[in-house]
Amino acid sequence: MAQPPVALMIQGTHSDAGKSLIVAGLCRLFARRGLRVRPFKPQNMSNNAAATPDGGEIGRAQALQARACFAAPSVHMNPVLLKPQSDTGAQVVVQGRVLGQSQARQYFAERQSLMPAVLHSFQLLAAEADLLLVEGAGSPAEVNLRANDIANMGFAHAAGLPVVLLGDIERGGVIASLVGTKAVLAPADVALIRGFIVNKFRGDPALFEAGMARIEQDTGWPGLGLIPWLPRAGLLPAEDAMQIEQRQVRQGAGFRIIVPRFPRIANFDDLDPLASEADVAVEFIAAGRPLPQDADLILLPGSKTTIADLVFMRQQGWDIDLLAHHRQGKPVFGICGGYQMLGRWIDDPLGLEGPPGRIAGLGLLDLETSLDAHKIVGPMQGETLIDAVPVQGYEIHAGRSLGTALARPLLRFADGRLDGAVSADGLVAGCYLHGLFASDAFRRHFLAQWRPERRSQVSYELQVEAILDELAAHLEQHLDADRLLALAAPVRGHSA
């Protein structure tokens, strides 16, 4: 007789404790054991989004976790996605579709109204799973946000889930963060926690045995594992822009790609496949620094607020640096919002990404973009128009671009649509397609335009699969996977 589905929730003592990667590794670990595993994150806040086959969007981390489960991504794996557009406001995406914009104070007051949709998605996933691995958001210790919570303990109570708390020793103070989390939580929330894990440990594990014992003593929770640092896990797609600062630039690489670090940078994991090449350095430039003039290529990434980020770019003087780079006969490439910036004008008449307005672009491509309420979302396949190099990726954008530059498109999709533009001299190009550099053939073709002699041996998609397997084996070695599985509780409403 079939067993009912079970679920376990992983929460963290703070943001970027490693929850997303731990869940991804556990997804692969238990899927390798033959279980039907599904990831679930009730609420995510990230401008790194992924398109689902049915034209919805979810957090990039949940798409990676779905891949780890050998499952197609679904809007129900991340039913609430908040895409920040300012310090206090975000676009709200519910079950893959844009619900609207909301200010933080309004959202936190009203988010409980989204709990039925969250629970509905959870139940739909449970119907096709043996095990649901649920990821929290931020930290349950942010008790000022506990009222109406749908992301951490609020959801754990609503769904009846046991919780494992994850601490990050890399930042220091992990004993205090775990013990302190218990100290500030309400007793009913503490009662849901079944144990803790310490993540990102470096050095001799014997030196932290007393630390693990102290946490167990002060919390009453069992230690479920001390996970050593796994360097290659950092090559997997990141969940949010917090992790940009943690990435080291490869010194001495032969081809230097410079990327302006916009305040609302989106889908920056587009650059990961380029950074995987041994002879390529991808460097994000933070505010206050000029764009280096010895760059080989300047790449403008996606943006959630294209007009505001273009204004920021000009405030930094980066537009001057980019135009000087172009005058030297060096290439410029733009993806989605970055592609729109390369045109002559950007118009947001409805105020979809900020106050309504119109702004002059960088003028390197003869096109004009207007934002409208209809958002194009979905995976795409195609080829380059000139050389028929295969490419695949996904679209997530609300802009429509028109102009004479479109007479020289970059791509032709399988459905016949054309995308992108290339300048007459071939130095400036861009398109709406995210994820295109993950296509090995396209990436090699793109880099060979500027380095004809180079030969790449990187197979990016195979590398991602190999690292997911390594991560699963790493967790198998350093966690008690059987004990974690035993902690999972049956999903309410599902019986054998």
Side-chain angles (χ1 to χ4, degrees):
M1 191 175 195
Q3 296 295 313
V6 296
L8 179 68
M9 189 169 193
I10 307 293
Q11 297 184 20
T13 55
H14 53 71
S15 294
D16 197 33
K19 300 183 295 292
S20 294
L21 286 182
I22 294 300
V23 170
L26 291 174
C27 283
R28 179 56 60 93
L29 188 162
F30 289 117
R32 288 288 188 197
R33 292 187 176 188
L35 296 176
R36 295 177 303 160
V37 188
R38 296 294 182 269
F40 185 78
K41 184 159 186 169
Q43 173 194 288
N44 199 349
M45 179 178 285
S46 177
N47 279 330
N48 259 15
T52 61
D54 60 355
E57 56 182 309
I58 60 175
R60 163 59 53 188
Q62 282 61 65
L64 178 67
Q65 292 162 357
R67 177 174 183 165
C69 298
F70 309 108
S74 162
V75 297
H76 299 297
M77 294 173 178
N78 175 207
V80 178
L81 174 62
L82 306 178
K83 305 185 78 171
Q85 294 180 307
S86 69
D87 290 341
T88 60
Q91 183 181 74
V92 182
V93 179
V94 177
Q95 292 182 333
R97 304 295 187 270
V98 176
L99 181 66
Q101 283 74 38
S102 180
Q103 292 298 304
R105 183 176 299 181
Q106 174 191 3
Y107 176 76
F108 285 118
E110 299 175 355
R111 59 184 170 170
Q112 188 65 29
S113 66
L114 299 178
M115 183 67 88
V118 170
L119 290 172
H120 176 246
S121 289
F122 183 71
Q123 290 291 329
L124 289 176
L125 281 184
E128 61 183 52
D130 301 312
L131 172 64
L132 284 157
L133 291 170
V134 182
E135 178 188 342
S139 169
E142 296 163 340
V143 292
N144 55 306
L145 303 178
R146 177 63 179 86
N148 302 320
D149 171 54
I150 64 172
N152 289 304
M153 288 301 180
F155 178 75
H157 277 287
L161 299 184
V163 174
V164 171
L165 191 62
L166 182 69
D168 174 7
I169 200 170
E170 175 73 7
R171 292 190 178 188
V174 71
I175 297 174
S177 64
L178 285 161
V179 174
T181 297
K182 180 181 181 182
V184 300
L185 292 181
D189 290 346
V190 172
L192 294 179
I193 299 177
R194 299 292 187 267
F196 70 91
I197 296 169
V198 173
N199 193 25
K200 305 180 189 177
F201 182 80
R202 299 176 191 253
D204 183 352
L207 297 179
F208 198 64
E209 288 178 356
M212 295 290 286
R214 178 61 185 268
I215 298 168
E216 290 182 338
Q217 172 187 317
D218 289 359
T219 63
W221 303 327
L224 301 174
L226 177 65
I227 305 174
W229 183 270
L230 183 63
R232 273 169 56 86
L235 298 177
L236 292 172
E239 178 176 33
D240 55 49
M242 288 180 62
Q243 297 177 31
I244 289 178
E245 285 75 12
Q246 300 172 13
R247 299 185 174 205
Q248 296 183 351
V249 179
R250 185 182 297 110
Q251 301 299 324
F255 193 76
R256 190 180 187 195
I257 299 175
I258 295 301
V259 184
R261 170 73 153 85
F262 300 142
R264 301 300 168 194
I265 189 172
N267 297 79
F268 67 88
D269 58 306
D270 284 337
L271 288 302
D272 288 354
L274 290 168
S276 72
E277 299 283 354
D279 60 346
V280 174
V282 176
E283 182 176 356
F284 290 87
I285 302 300
R289 294 177 55 198
L291 302 184
Q293 287 304 296
D294 60 350
D296 294 298
L297 167 74
I298 292 179
L299 194 152
L300 301 185
S303 166
K304 188 65 191 74
T305 54
T306 306
I307 289 179
D309 278 350
L310 181 53
V311 169
F312 180 84
M313 185 174 182
R314 289 192 166 114
Q315 291 171 343
Q316 299 300 313
W318 288 341
D319 59 327
I320 298 172
D321 298 336
L322 184 146
L323 293 174
H325 168 93
H326 176 250
R327 285 195 298 272
Q328 295 175 42
K330 296 181 179 180
V332 179
F333 194 85
I335 301 175
C336 202
Y339 167 50
Q340 295 170 349
M341 292 180 189
L342 294 174
R344 298 196 181 280
W345 292 95
I346 304 171
D347 191 13
D348 186 3
L350 302 177
L352 296 175
E353 295 185 350
R358 177 177 170 87
I359 189 174
L362 297 170
L364 294 179
L365 290 173
D366 186 17
L367 57 85
E368 180 172 334
T369 298
S370 180
L371 306 184
D372 63 45
H374 176 65
K375 199 170 190 180
I376 297 175
V377 182
M380 296 300 299
Q381 292 183 334
E383 61 184 16
T384 59
L385 198 69
I386 295 177
D387 302 301
V389 177
V391 65
Q392 62 182 6
Y394 59 97
E395 292 182 284
I396 299 182
H397 64 92
R400 303 293 187 281
S401 298
L402 298 172
T404 61
L406 301 185
R408 294 180 298 274
L410 178 66
L411 306 173
R412 178 190 287 116
F413 292 146
D415 62 6
R417 285 191 298 124
L418 301 175
D419 182 46
V422 182
S423 65
D425 61 7
L427 288 176
V428 183
C431 64
Y432 278 112
L433 190 67
H434 291 288
L436 74 170
F437 291 117
S439 301
D440 295 334
F442 176 82
R443 187 176 68 256
R444 291 164 186 162
H445 172 76
F446 179 83
L447 292 172
Q449 295 178 80
W450 322 112
R451 289 287 191 274
E453 73 284 355
R454 76 179 304 276
R455 295 292 182 269
S456 170
Q457 301 300 320
V458 175
S459 177
Y460 182 72
E461 298 295 352
L462 291 179
Q463 175 179 280
V464 171
E465 286 297 314
I467 296 174
L468 285 171
D469 286 338
E470 288 176 30
L471 180 58
H474 188 67
L475 297 184
E476 184 90 67
Q477 180 180 356
H478 297 286
L479 293 177
D480 188 341
D482 292 333
R483 189 173 184 182
L484 282 174
L485 189 58
L487 289 174
V491 175
R492 291 174 179 172
H494 289 265
S495 59

